[in-house]
Amino acid sequence: MTVTPREKVKVGIIGAGPGGLAAAINFLRIPFVDLSVFDQATELREVGAGISINENTWRHLRLLGAADKIEQYTKRGDSSKIDGEHRNGLTGELLSRRFQSADPNAPPRSRIERYKLQRALLSQIPEDLIQLSKKVTRIQDTTQGVTVTFTDGSTAGPFDLVIGADGIRSVVRQHAFPDHRLSYTGKVAYRVIIPAEKVAHVKNIPSGSTFWHTTKTHVYTDPLDNGLFEIATRAIESEEHGNKVSWGQKVPKSQVVHHYDGYCETIRQIIAAPDEWLEFAMFGGPRLESVIHNDRIALLGDASHPLSGAFGSGAAFAFEDALILARAIEYTYARNQTIGEALKLYDEIRSPHYKGLYSVLNGHADTAREVAAISPALSENELIAESLSRNFKSSNDWIYKYDVTKVWDERIKEEETKHNLAGMSSESSGKKEPATATVPHVAVSA
Ligand SMILES: Cc1cc2nc3c(=O)[nH]c(=O)nc-3n(C[C@H](O)[C@H](O)[C@H](O)COP(=O)(O)OP(=O)(O)OC[C@H]3O[C@@H](n4cnc5c(N)ncnc54)[C@H](O)[C@@H]3O)c2cc1C
């Protein structure tokens, strides 16, 4: 049997955040891919905030070969130690508490500075792969493939596949889905990581990560385990903050402190500690039913679903996307199918999962409306407790335990069964199946 040599599949990744880097690692492992990665940044660095590494994030970091580059990977949980709490932000009252998971084979949920995650992923990628200072401004679909144009006037492509991993304000999404709109949520996140000694004088700081709730905003505090302390808040701010599209912008303490005047003493003291903060205007948008376009463009991570940091697991969602997209390309290539078919497989596997995530968020919004409508009206403290207890009635553990590799295996089993049945029926009807139904991955050439 002679094997027909095939051209490489040209893949361009736009964006080198956690999602783009995970895609790069996965695609570098595919021998028939010719990979290019572009980012608008002049250097790759994360803005100073913390990120949660949950059970599924660790699993993916292992698959990406990057887990042991993060020092917390060697840790093991202690089930007698508090992992996280929810408290009433006004009174400090404890509303719920969970303990660390003590799996002897895996690290517990950890909170790390985001640049460490970035650095761990970068350790798996050749240094010269990522082309920096390349801000994509225009995307063109041509019969030869997809071409991208940068602000410096240069172009790249044509690509057989362009992956939009360019974050919440994705240019690739704008090109593929021009009607999709992001809007300012009316809230900003104020975030900071400070030396723990700056809050050492504050009494009653919980030892684990803690959400301090009111009905409209919350404060998140986390004593990180390297002498640092993280504070991440939500505050209601005017449209003007949304118009500025602030992202990681430094703001003075005076802009932040007054939002938390009504909170309990512990929180007021914690909020007063940093001298300056970083502001992140929160944007969100409706769920896209499909995140693929024209058989040649796929979105992943925050570009595909602007969840605004909900669930504290956006990096893991992006890792799941990247893995499935790469597997779909490999699987269909081996069967001489089109890139369009690979993207369809990707979409069919990922979309139901995101649908589930959005329905949790919609459920929370429904809860807020329902408790606000209870008659006679509840006090603020009762509202906080009631909202939380309703939201926690159904566990969100499925999000953090979701194993996308199992989902992939099951889906492929179904594909194989379908394929075998189709083969049997064409044999019995005497019909010969065509080698490829449509245009293959790339033009098959000698
Ligand atoms: C307030 C907040 C808190 C969060 N907290 C957590 C958390 O605790 N845990 C967690 O897992 N996740 C968290 N997330 C989400 C997490 O940051 C993202 O989901 C995760 O980083 C995956 O993002 P990404 O790679 O898809 O996009 P990004 O991280 O946004 O990366 C996009 C990349 O694309 C580049 N880019 C953008 N536009 C262009 C262009 N036109 N041309 C070229 N390059 C471009 C950018 O420079 C950037 O490097 C949070 C998000 C927010 C907003």
Side-chain angles (χ1 to χ4, degrees), residues 14-20 38-41 46 50-52 111 114 134-136 165-168 171 189 191 234 247 282 300-303 308-309 312-316 318:
I14 315 300
F38 309 97
D39 200 285
Q40 64 184 5
E46 274 294 355
I51 196 159
S52 294
R111 185 91 178 166
R114 282 163 54 114
K134 288 287 183 188
K135 179 172 180 161
V136 173
D166 49 342
I168 187 160
V171 169
R191 313 185 69 167
R234 293 288 190 275
W247 192 251
M282 308 295 292
L300 66 70
D302 284 8
S308 275
S313 206

Side-chain angles (χ1 to χ4, degrees), residues 13-22 38-46 49-54 57 109-112 114 117-118 121 131-139 149-151 164-172 188-191 220 230 232-234 247 280-283 300-305 307-319 321:
I13 299 177
I14 315 300
L21 293 177
F38 309 97
D39 200 285
Q40 64 184 5
T42 47
E43 60 171 317
L44 284 185
R45 59 180 178 88
E46 274 294 355
I51 196 159
S52 294
I53 310 289
N54 298 303
T57 326
R109 185 199 70 85
S110 305
R111 185 91 178 166
I112 64 168
R114 282 163 54 114
L117 175 67
Q118 191 100 340
L121 294 167
Q131 301 182 46
L132 295 171
S133 303
K134 288 287 183 188
K135 179 172 180 161
V136 173
T137 50
R138 189 159 173 239
I139 292 158
T149 306
F150 305 100
T151 33
D166 49 342
I168 187 160
R169 289 182 196 89
S170 167
V171 169
V172 185
V188 304
Y190 290 116
R191 313 185 69 167
Y220 173 87
E230 183 184 1
T233 71
R234 293 288 190 275
W247 192 251
F280 301 79
M282 308 295 292
F283 282 73
L300 66 70
D302 284 8
S304 69
H305 291 98
L307 282 161
S308 275
F311 309 111
S313 206
F317 302 150
F319 294 165
D321 291 342

Side-chain angles (χ1 to χ4, degrees), residues 373-416:
I374 291 173
S375 176
L378 302 181
S379 70
E380 173 103 5
N381 288 335
E382 286 167 336
L383 279 171
I384 294 167
E386 185 62 23
S387 306
L388 219 65
S389 96
R390 289 189 188 204
N391 284 339
F392 285 164
K393 247 189 205 135
S394 49
S395 158
N396 284 339
D397 261 10
W398 61 273
I399 297 171
Y400 307 105
K401 294 195 179 297
Y402 182 75
D403 185 348
V404 81
T405 56
K406 279 196 189 141
V407 176
W408 170 261
D409 290 345
E410 276 158 26
R411 177 59 198 261
I412 291 313
K413 243 191 241 158
E414 278 170 32
E415 290 290 316
E416 297 297 316

Side-chain angles (χ1 to χ4, degrees), residues 257-269:
V257 172
H258 67 97
H259 287 289
Y260 307 97
D261 282 350
Y263 274 66
C264 61
E265 178 67 15
T266 306
I267 285 301
R268 287 205 306 275
Q269 286 189 23

